[in-house]
Amino acid sequence: KAGVTQTPRYLIKTRGQQVTLSCSPISGHRSVSWYQQTPGQGLQFLFEYFSETQRNKGNFPGRFSGRQFSNSRSEMNVSTLELGDSALYLCASSLGRTGWTGELFFGEGSRLTVL
Amino acid sequence: QKEVEQDPGPLSVPEGAIVSLNCTYSNSAFQYFMWYRQYSRKGPELLMYTYSSGNKEDGRFTAQVDKSSKYISLFIRDSQPSDSATYLCAMSFQGGSEKLVFGKGMKLTVNP
């Protein structure tokens, strides 16, 4: 069974640009979430989607947005990039509420560097 | 004060040692407690999951939750070099949600 796939794995952008990251969840998983990981703040929750609906949102500015498609694939977008947006962006998927065990399946992340 | 506090270490131990990792939290509404392990250049993977207070054992790993003290622990017995990774505690208010609050993670190195 294929794991969570994130693309691109690495990218470099300059301040003011925008970026779109993509996530393909494990087949059959309908819940997708995004996290930002930095050395200073650790893993911080960005948003959670289930069946194309945003269920939860973290404390990030409106420059961070996301969406989920009918096939459960998800994208997140960051506009007007700032230096502090440099981070590893992790996508995770799960079955959702049914049979929840606290287990999120994470991808290997997209490492964004903003210059 | 952050909702979840975890000593970031790093921690270095010899092979075979017993390792104790801890997190404290401030919000008594947390109900679900997890430990994730993250190897270098990989995403985190779930190690242990517990609901409310108590102990849970899985092989060499034991997770403890003390809700009265707002304190959770992970014990690793007979540690192996393959246990070298970053260990993150995580908590959730609500079952079925992917919104987890993570500690910053403790980097563990087990030396052969």
Side-chain angles (χ1 to χ4, degrees), chain B residues 35-53:
Chain B
W35 286 94
Y36 278 79
R37 176 175 63 193
Q38 185 175 22
Y39 290 112
S40 181
R41 301 186 187 280
K42 297 288 186 183
E45 57 180 356
L46 181 70
L47 261 182
M48 302 283 286
Y49 154 75
T50 52
Y51 170 67
S52 199
S53 284

Side-chain angles (χ1 to χ4, degrees), chain A residues 19-39:
Chain A
V19 65
T20 299
L21 308 177
S22 180
C23 172
S24 293
I26 291 173
S27 177
H29 285 188
R30 296 169 63 190
S31 185
V32 172
S33 55
W34 289 88
Y35 285 81
Q36 181 196 65
Q37 187 172 32
T38 60

Side-chain angles (χ1 to χ4, degrees), chain A:
Chain A
K1 199 174 190 180
V4 176
T5 305
Q6 291 188 245
T7 57
R9 291 292 314 280
Y10 302 91
L11 64 165
I12 299 173
K13 294 285 187 178
T14 56
R15 279 181 299 174
Q17 287 187 309
Q18 67 95 23
V19 65
T20 299
L21 308 177
S22 180
C23 172
S24 293
I26 291 173
S27 177
H29 285 188
R30 296 169 63 190
S31 185
V32 172
S33 55
W34 289 88
Y35 285 81
Q36 181 196 65
Q37 187 172 32
T38 60
Q41 298 298 319
L43 266 162
Q44 295 188 94
F45 172 80
L46 280 158
F47 8 73
E48 174 188 5
Y49 289 90
F50 182 83
S51 294
E52 301 179 69
T53 300
Q54 187 178 88
R55 282 207 301 206
N56 278 300
K57 189 176 191 304
N59 294 325
F60 280 83
R63 301 184 296 107
F64 292 80
S65 63
R67 58 179 177 167
Q68 186 182 32
F69 303 97
S70 58
N71 61 359
S72 293
R73 194 176 67 84
S74 178
E75 287 182 348
M76 67 163 283
N77 183 275
V78 188
S79 62
T80 319
L81 284 166
E82 300 177 0
L83 294 178
D85 297 333
S86 295
L88 181 67
Y89 290 88
L90 290 160
C91 173
S93 74
S94 72
L95 288 167
R97 290 202 167 96
T98 304
W100 189 82
T101 61
E103 184 162 21
L104 303 186
F105 294 85
F106 284 88
E108 294 190 331
S110 293
R111 183 165 295 281
L112 170 65
T113 301
V114 181
L115 302 176

Side-chain angles (χ1 to χ4, degrees), chain B residues 21-39:
Chain B
L21 306 171
N22 311 296
C23 286
T24 59
Y25 61 96
S26 57
N27 195 328
S28 58
F30 284 124
Q31 296 290 333
Y32 301 86
F33 305 90
M34 290 138 276
W35 286 94
Y36 278 79
R37 176 175 63 193
Q38 185 175 22
Y39 290 112

Side-chain angles (χ1 to χ4, degrees), chain B residues 70-81:
Chain B
K70 298 192 184 72
Y71 188 88
I72 70 170
S73 301
L74 177 72
F75 297 95
I76 307 174
R77 291 183 299 280
D78 187 26
S79 56
Q80 302 295 309

Side-chain angles (χ1 to χ4, degrees), chain B residues 49-71:
Chain B
Y49 154 75
T50 52
Y51 170 67
S52 199
S53 284
N55 293 358
K56 187 172 185 178
E57 189 172 320
D58 184 3
R60 297 184 295 111
F61 299 89
T62 300
Q64 286 186 349
V65 175
D66 182 348
K67 290 194 71 179
S68 62
S69 302
K70 298 192 184 72
Y71 188 88

